[in-house]
Amino acid sequence: AVVSTQSTGEPWMEIEITAPDGSSGAVLQSMTKRRGIVKSLDIKEGICTVYARAPLQGMFGYTTELRSITQGTGLFTMEFSAYEAVEEDDQAQMIAQYRESKAYKNQGTSENV
């Protein structure tokens, strides 16, 4: 049997979130929901700062969610950290979604020129 050692890499980001300390629970929950890993939490003078890592794919739309859970006062920054291997189940799902996509179905046609 041939065993494949290839895997798909996905970009992970270093994230820093600042929000009022009353929103810290909701901010932590929002990171967990997006497959984020919280590294630390600092609370000073009524402001919480969350340091986390999360896959880039999970961060799309986060600005809107953060504004909603902090009544418009939360901010975040993110910076590329590394590519990490995608778990087999997630990789299979990504491949299946791609195969259903228009880009896959139009391969080799003049529409892709």
Side-chain angles (χ1 to χ4, degrees):
V2 175
V3 178
S4 174
T5 58
Q6 293 182 343
S7 66
T8 302
E10 85 178 311
W12 275 66
M13 311 302 284
E14 292 288 334
I15 300 163
E16 182 178 322
I17 306 163
T18 56
D21 64 353
S23 304
S24 62
V27 170
L28 294 173
Q29 186 177 23
S30 70
M31 276 287 92
T32 302
K33 181 173 78 173
R34 293 169 178 274
R35 296 180 22 219
I37 299 167
V38 175
K39 295 172 21 176
S40 68
L41 168 70
D42 294 332
I43 297 178
K44 292 179 184 171
E45 301 176 10
I47 302 292
C48 79
T49 304
V50 176
Y51 300 93
R53 295 184 73 239
L56 177 60
Q57 180 66 32
M59 295 306 294
F60 288 103
Y62 189 65
T63 300
T64 302
E65 181 178 358
L66 183 61
R67 286 182 182 155
S68 176
I69 62 179
T70 64
Q71 289 76 45
T73 59
L75 301 170
F76 82 101
T77 60
M78 64 181 176
E79 180 179 311
F80 175 77
S81 173
Y83 283 99
E84 295 189 13
V86 177
E87 293 184 23
E88 282 188 41
D89 291 344
D90 292 334
Q91 187 171 336
Q93 183 180 7
M94 290 169 63
I95 291 168
Q97 287 174 342
Y98 176 70
R99 287 187 174 150
E100 289 298 316
S101 73
K102 186 176 180 181
Y104 179 78
K105 291 178 180 179
N106 288 335
Q107 282 184 344
T109 67
S110 61
E111 290 181 31
N112 287 336
V113 177

